[in-house]
DNA sequence: TGCCAAAACTAATCAGATTAGTTAAAATGA
DNA sequence: TCATTTTAACTAATCTGATTAGTTTTGGCA
């Protein structure tokens, strides 16, 4: 291993992703990351502006990756089946990349174009999935928010170890999504009465 | 103001609660807290074992307070109305005590008796509320997990500033809860077919 | 081959948490 | 009341981690 390790932002982000997914976002430090990359801590500052910026970059990666998972799951599916598929993709992503997902919820830089774009991609994907329900425009957005709340809430609590009772977590998830879908159907029927 | 500030754990927790609810959990530091209490940082160590323990104590407070809010909302109500009431209480608590709530999700000490007890109180309260639906035992727990996911997810995203579109957030919340309630009704009807 | 820019390095600084050891105030009790 | 004991403050010091300043090495290229 040569004394000079050729770093670049991509390599740094990859190693940081490994670290946060394995040890948790809060364990990410400049020192540990530098050690894993076999450089001295100050060297990292040649490639990024500090720990906080690094976390924001991870956040962007997280949203982009989440979108990719969901997009893959959605192709060729529609209606209830599509909702189930993107929901499964969401929970799968969080389970495989808990640190990245955590970064995307805790360190989103609202001013960052790339982040906003990635977030909008997810919203639009879900809106397309909901298209088949012919919801009124506003109602569709309320439902996107609802599904997002469900997915974020369930996965967050799972990651925190919050489901303590000895009862199959996957079943809870399936039932929750199905309950929501049933709810959409019911709301769709009543749509013109509100 | 006498040179000796008579501190105790209660006063410390009160001030820490103010700080986290006003400035965010991550802004809580021994230094800032000591400054607000007009003592030197090391003095706090006479009353607690460190910053981490302080956050765990805040977490317990958070769950206890949340339970109190929900309990107040639930008295005298049942069925759909009770679900709406405890949901409103939940979001109200998070809006009034964002830092405390954040602590309760990020720093729960799973070994702490007091915390476990408070968490169980919340679960049991929701189980009682769901009693009127005559769900099978397991299904009731799945639904508790579902409602909890919804409430945690929605309030977390709101706190993170995640609902960007110009659309009434309270309406989104009401619709989400109603959709879930409709879903419960549908699932209840199908209960014996699963 | 020698210059230049990039990117590493060492050394130093700064902030915050925490610990060690000291002292003042308050409480207790003869 | 006054001495003793305990509590809980204090100052000074240490440790960890992020960051900055300034220096040196290296690899590409004229």
């Amino acid at each position: 291993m040569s004394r000079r390790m050729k770093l670049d932002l991509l390599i740094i982000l990859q190693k940081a992703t490994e670290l946060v997914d394995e040890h948790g976002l809060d364990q990410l430090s400049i020192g540990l990351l530098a050690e894993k990359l076999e450089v001295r801590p100050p060297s990292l500052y040649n490639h990024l502006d500090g720990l906080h910026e690094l976390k924001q970059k991870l956040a962007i990666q997280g949203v982009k990756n989440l979108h990719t998972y969901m997009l893959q799951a959605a192709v060729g599916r529609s209606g209830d089946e599509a909702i189930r598929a993107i929901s499964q993709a969401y929970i799968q992503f969080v389970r495989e990349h808990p640190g990245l997902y955590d970064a995307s919820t805790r360190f989103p830089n609202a001013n960052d174009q790339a982040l906003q774009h990635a977030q909008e991609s997810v919203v639009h994907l879900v809106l397309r999935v909901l298209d088949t329900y012919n919801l009124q425009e506003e109602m569709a957005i309320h439902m996107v928010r609802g599904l997002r709340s469900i997915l974020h809430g369930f996965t967050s609590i799972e990651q925190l170890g919050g489901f303590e009772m000895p009862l199959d977590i996957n079943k809870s998830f399936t039932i929750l999504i199905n309950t929501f879908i049933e709810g959409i159907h019911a709301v769709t029927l009543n749509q013109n009465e509100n």
Side-chain angles (χ1 to χ4, degrees), chain A residues 6-193:
Chain A
K6 58 176 172 200
L7 282 189
D8 65 17
L9 190 53
L10 185 62
I11 292 176
I12 293 176
L13 284 178
Q14 285 173 345
K15 186 62 76 176
T17 299
E18 285 175 28
L19 281 179
V20 298
D21 284 339
E22 189 170 355
H23 302 293
L25 183 58
D26 291 327
Q27 297 308 306
L28 177 64
S29 69
I30 293 290
L32 179 61
L33 181 55
E35 185 183 314
K36 295 287 181 185
L37 291 166
E38 303 183 68
V39 296
R40 301 296 166 158
S43 303
L44 298 180
Y45 289 82
N46 288 315
H47 303 280
L48 44 86
D49 277 348
L51 185 58
H52 197 252
E53 186 190 281
L54 174 60
K55 288 176 179 172
Q56 291 184 343
K57 288 191 186 303
L58 290 177
I60 297 169
Q61 272 309 308
V63 179
K64 282 185 180 173
N65 288 10
L66 175 61
H67 175 249
T68 300
Y69 273 59
M70 293 173 80
L71 187 60
Q72 295 297 324
V75 295
R77 297 192 162 95
S78 70
D80 296 356
E81 195 193 356
I83 292 182
R84 291 194 188 93
I86 61 174
S87 297
Q88 281 299 329
Y90 195 108
I91 198 171
Q92 184 189 347
F93 172 72
V94 178
R95 285 172 174 172
E96 292 177 5
H97 296 286
L100 217 47
Y101 181 75
D102 203 13
S104 74
T105 61
R106 284 175 52 198
F107 297 96
N109 176 355
N111 298 325
D112 188 290
Q113 286 299 124
L115 179 81
Q116 289 201 331
H117 183 264
Q119 286 175 330
E120 285 165 13
S121 298
V122 176
V123 171
H124 289 147
L125 171 58
V126 179
L127 278 172
R128 278 208 305 285
V129 164
L130 293 182
D131 247 2
T132 45
Y133 297 93
N134 290 310
L135 299 168
Q136 289 163 4
E137 190 176 351
E138 282 204 359
M139 184 58 83
I141 296 177
H142 289 306
M143 289 302 177
V144 171
R145 287 178 171 178
L147 183 56
R148 185 176 165 203
S149 297
I150 286 172
L151 296 173
H152 173 63
F154 192 96
T155 55
S156 296
I157 295 173
E158 181 183 33
Q159 289 304 312
L160 295 163
F163 294 131
E164 308 220 346
M165 303 212 189
L167 190 62
D168 184 1
I169 289 183
N170 291 316
K171 194 167 177 186
S172 294
F173 187 66
T174 300
I175 289 171
L176 175 54
I177 300 303
N178 285 337
T179 304
F180 181 67
I181 289 173
E182 292 288 348
I184 295 180
H185 290 158
V187 170
T188 305
L189 295 178
N190 303 338
Q191 195 165 228
N192 299 315
E193 301 170 19

